[in-house]
Amino acid sequence: MQMVIDNQKKELRHKLLEHLLSLTKEEIIRRSKNVEEKLSSLPIYKESKVIMVYYPLPGEVDILGEIRKEINTKRFCFPVTDLKAKKMRIFEVKNLDEDFIPGPYKIMEPDIRKTKETDIGEIDLVIVPGLAFDYQKNRLGRGVGFYDRFLVGLNRSTKKVGIAFEFQILKSLPVNLSLDQKVDTVVSESFVV
């Protein structure tokens, strides 16, 4: 059964990545602005003071504009990949233009010499990227498991919001119940689950 689920996930990842990488820069900007508007209007976002976010990969929802707008009123933390420990550490970023360096997966990460590590217990909200989400709030990541392992360690009070483009929100996803972590809410350009 697990092999079937893994194969379904692999096929879905391939199809979704293809679609994401086919989006034009203009389309990503337009769609991302709509996601930002929906996200910023959520009470949970408005009330949160310490938010973990991500630096977007090509094709992903880009909320850096929203972060720039709020960086003086909220604390934003980004993950740093610790390959040895197979986990993510989080660091608070104060300057989106100067505080990043390329990480092991070519994802921009906080430069740990310029930023301050943040305790996971301080986080009010985690903005979670994903290749897909479903209406039961399951998430399909890129298959490495860093986010699933990270989300398990959060306080119960910490909210998890997945953000994605509409076409990434599917009716249902293949799920490994013992590993895959759900989110509390999913936000797209035009609706919230």
Side-chain angles (χ1 to χ4, degrees), residues 60 64 81 84 86 111 125 157 191:
E60 281 186 328
L64 293 178
T81 309
K84 271 190 188 149
K86 289 189 175 170
D111 182 340
L125 173 66
S157 61
F191 61 89

Side-chain angles (χ1 to χ4, degrees), residues 39-178:
L39 175 67
S40 65
S41 69
L42 290 179
I44 185 166
Y45 177 80
K46 289 178 182 176
E47 294 160 11
S48 295
K49 298 193 180 352
V50 183
I51 303 173
M52 180 178 152
V53 290
Y54 65 91
Y55 202 99
L57 287 167
E60 281 186 328
V61 175
D62 182 345
I63 61 164
L64 293 178
E66 174 61 24
I67 296 166
R68 277 184 202 284
K69 212 163 55 180
E70 296 288 340
I71 202 152
N72 294 320
T73 57
K74 296 180 182 293
R75 292 173 56 202
F76 288 100
C77 305
F78 288 77
V80 168
T81 309
D82 183 338
L83 289 178
K84 271 190 188 149
K86 289 189 175 170
K87 68 177 198 168
M88 295 189 309
R89 295 165 54 201
I90 54 168
F91 288 78
E92 184 177 349
V93 167
K94 301 229 187 250
N95 187 318
L96 290 178
D97 300 314
E98 297 173 8
D99 290 352
F100 289 93
I101 57 172
Y105 293 104
K106 295 188 175 44
I107 300 170
M108 297 303 282
E109 296 185 347
D111 182 340
I112 62 173
R113 295 165 302 193
K114 293 182 176 180
T115 56
K116 182 179 138 238
E117 189 160 10
T118 304
D119 185 272
I120 191 171
E122 292 182 61
I123 302 171
D124 301 314
L125 173 66
V126 178
I127 306 295
V128 186
L131 286 177
F133 295 91
D134 67 16
Y135 287 94
Q136 295 74 48
K137 300 172 186 157
N138 292 303
R139 173 184 170 271
L140 177 71
R142 292 182 180 252
V144 189
F146 280 101
Y147 269 92
D148 289 317
R149 287 189 294 275
F150 180 80
L151 295 174
V152 167
L154 292 173
N155 289 336
R156 284 183 185 263
S157 61
T158 304
K159 296 295 178 208
K160 303 171 290 283
V161 174
I163 59 174
F165 298 129
E166 265 178 55
F167 68 84
Q168 295 174 273
I169 301 173
L170 310 176
K171 200 166 147 187
S172 67
L173 287 172
V175 177
N176 180 329
L177 294 174
S178 64

Side-chain angles (χ1 to χ4, degrees), residues 175-186:
V175 177
N176 180 329
L177 294 174
S178 64
L179 298 174
D180 297 333
Q181 297 299 305
K182 289 184 174 223
V183 293
D184 301 302
T185 305
V186 182

